Amino acid sequence: MPKGNGKTITQNKKASHDYFIEETYEAGIVLQGTEIKSIRNGRVNIKDAHARIDRKGEVQLVNLHIAEYEQGNRYNHDPTRSRKLLLHRKEIDKLIGLTQQQGYALVPLKIYIKNGYAKVLIGLGRGKKKYDKREDLKRKQMKRDVDRAIKDHMR
């Protein structure tokens, strides 16, 4: 099964606006208590999240907000704690080398459920400059105008 397939829970639409995504990696998330129930209910916010590699060589997902599960009281969790991501050692070693280069970041692109497990699609992104963002918006608007003109012409 290709990367990123499964029941999509949330997507980070701002990531493609702020970064050139060069590679993507599928990673499992280490969850506690009732976090999976909140994710399945769609009560997760990926907007401010980012991934980083700590001193132990583990990939951590930081600022991912998973809301507390309402029916769970005893095994609830801290909504913004950092969560470990499960990747192969070879992938982590490659990411360590790439993220040490100037301008690269690990950005979560989407969270989805695949075969009953919560997965996150992480992109290796290079930051866009302001003029790159303007160029993308211009290109997007021109494509929209062309599509609208073709649709009107076909009527």
Side-chain angles (χ1 to χ4, degrees):
M1 190 180 263
K3 290 188 282 189
N5 284 3
K7 181 183 175 230
T8 301
I9 304 298
T10 184
Q11 281 188 311
N12 189 355
K13 294 177 180 143
K14 194 92 168 128
S16 63
H17 182 261
D18 292 338
Y19 297 95
F20 293 111
I21 304 299
E22 297 184 358
E23 289 184 53
T24 58
Y25 298 92
E26 181 180 73
I29 311 171
V30 176
L31 300 173
Q32 291 180 346
T34 56
E35 287 178 330
I36 188 65
K37 293 182 180 202
S38 291
I39 289 175
R40 286 195 174 132
N41 286 341
R43 298 183 38 87
V44 59
N45 186 354
I46 197 172
K47 193 184 298 182
D48 299 326
H50 66 280
R52 69 167 182 234
I53 301 170
D54 62 9
R55 294 174 193 257
K56 298 180 206 169
E58 296 177 343
V59 182
Q60 299 283 329
L61 193 57
V62 183
N63 285 343
L64 174 70
H65 186 275
I66 299 176
E68 288 187 356
Y69 186 62
E70 294 88 17
Q71 285 78 30
N73 56 0
R74 193 168 160 198
Y75 300 109
N76 260 335
H77 57 277
D78 177 27
T80 57
R81 72 178 182 86
S82 68
R83 293 161 178 91
K84 181 179 174 182
L85 296 181
L86 304 173
L87 288 163
H88 292 283
R89 174 55 52 193
K90 192 187 296 186
E91 291 175 330
I92 294 173
D93 292 341
K94 184 177 179 184
L95 286 174
I96 288 172
L98 290 172
T99 55
Q100 288 175 348
Q101 294 178 17
Q102 191 67 27
Y104 282 96
L106 294 176
V107 184
L109 302 175
K110 76 180 194 178
I111 293 180
Y112 53 97
I113 304 291
K114 181 176 173 183
N115 298 333
Y117 294 103
K119 303 280 186 179
V120 62
L121 189 68
I122 291 196
L124 179 69
R126 187 170 38 90
K128 286 185 181 178
K129 305 282 190 237
K130 210 170 220 165
Y131 56 84
D132 290 328
K133 294 178 189 180
R134 283 194 298 263
E135 187 66 34
D136 280 352
L137 288 174
K138 218 183 291 182
R139 197 175 302 123
K140 193 174 181 183
Q141 184 64 39
M142 287 188 333
K143 183 180 180 337
R144 193 178 297 138
D145 291 344
V146 168
D147 289 344
R148 189 177 296 133
I150 290 172
K151 185 178 176 185
D152 289 344
H153 183 70
M154 296 300 261
R155 286 185 182 177

